Amino acid sequence: MKKSALLSIFLFSISIYGFSQNSSSWKTNLNEVKFISEDGKESQLDLDPGFRFAEFKFEGRELRFYFNRNQQKIKHIRINDEDTKLQIARGKGSWFWGSARMEFVSGETLKLKMDRNSNGYEIIGPYGPLFIVENQKIKSTPTINDQDFITQAFFVFDRIRETQKPAQELVWVYTSVNSNF
């Protein structure tokens, strides 16, 4: 009796342990933003419904954009490669002191400057305007290399995050009490 109880507890714990190691197969639905360059190449930015991260797919690469500690400052910008799980770029400095920049692992540093005006703002990179918001809309600007394009896509994610609110799930709980008084 004692052995059968111990054996059943052992088998029960083994079965729980075996099933608990399975990874989940579900994913949340992501909102899609498509980029089409002048030469016809298509890229896609998939946004988390809560705007906490974005997945950027271009030229066979998949990158993840997010703000470290979920603080929307340039020094908390992080860009990771999803295949290697390594960080490929990060933000440094601040807009106020004029030291804002994106530092890539490849050694390239993009110094950025924000020029605000009454109808929007412009982020200027080393080769000219990188990202323009004019009359509350994003204006398309040409990019020189991949680092410019990745940085521009990150600022599109940032602008969407600034202007949109996450969809809130509404759960209605309806209870009915039949009472005969």
Side-chain angles (χ1 to χ4, degrees), residues 2-154:
K2 202 179 205 184
K3 288 183 181 180
S4 64
L6 287 173
L7 182 62
S8 64
I9 290 172
F10 177 72
L11 291 175
F12 181 70
S13 63
I14 292 285
S15 66
I16 288 175
Y17 180 75
F19 287 115
S20 68
Q21 298 301 314
N22 294 341
S23 62
S24 64
S25 61
W26 60 273
K27 281 181 89 172
T28 58
N29 293 330
L30 301 175
N31 302 321
E32 296 179 1
V33 177
K34 295 199 186 240
F35 291 88
I36 300 174
S37 65
E38 295 171 355
D39 57 350
K41 292 182 182 176
E42 190 172 308
S43 304
Q44 184 172 335
L45 183 67
D46 294 332
L47 297 159
D48 174 51
F51 302 118
R52 294 182 59 89
F53 67 90
E55 293 177 356
F56 184 56
K57 300 171 187 162
F58 81 106
E59 296 179 359
R61 296 174 67 186
E62 188 171 337
L63 307 175
R64 177 163 290 208
F65 299 159
Y66 64 97
F67 285 97
N68 191 29
R69 299 183 182 143
N70 207 25
Q71 294 182 2
Q72 202 165 351
K73 297 179 181 176
I74 192 154
K75 66 181 179 179
H76 292 288
I77 291 174
R78 300 293 185 266
I79 301 174
N80 291 351
D81 188 354
E82 283 296 296
D83 294 334
T84 62
K85 305 291 185 206
L86 297 174
Q87 182 174 303
I88 64 161
R90 66 184 296 165
K92 292 276 193 163
S94 72
W95 298 116
F96 181 77
W97 298 109
S99 61
R101 62 194 182 276
M102 288 289 289
E103 293 182 352
F104 287 85
V105 175
S106 62
E108 187 167 346
T109 300
L110 298 178
K111 293 185 180 183
L112 304 171
K113 178 184 168 194
M114 182 181 282
D115 185 20
R116 295 186 184 272
N117 59 36
S118 60
N119 293 327
Y121 62 92
E122 188 173 313
I123 296 177
I124 303 166
Y127 308 113
L130 186 64
F131 183 76
I132 300 173
V133 174
E134 195 173 79
N135 296 327
Q136 302 301 323
K137 69 175 186 172
I138 298 171
K139 187 177 177 186
S140 119
T141 56
T143 57
I144 303 295
N145 54 23
D146 285 347
Q147 285 82 6
D148 280 354
F149 187 55
I150 292 169
T151 305
Q152 185 181 58
F154 189 91

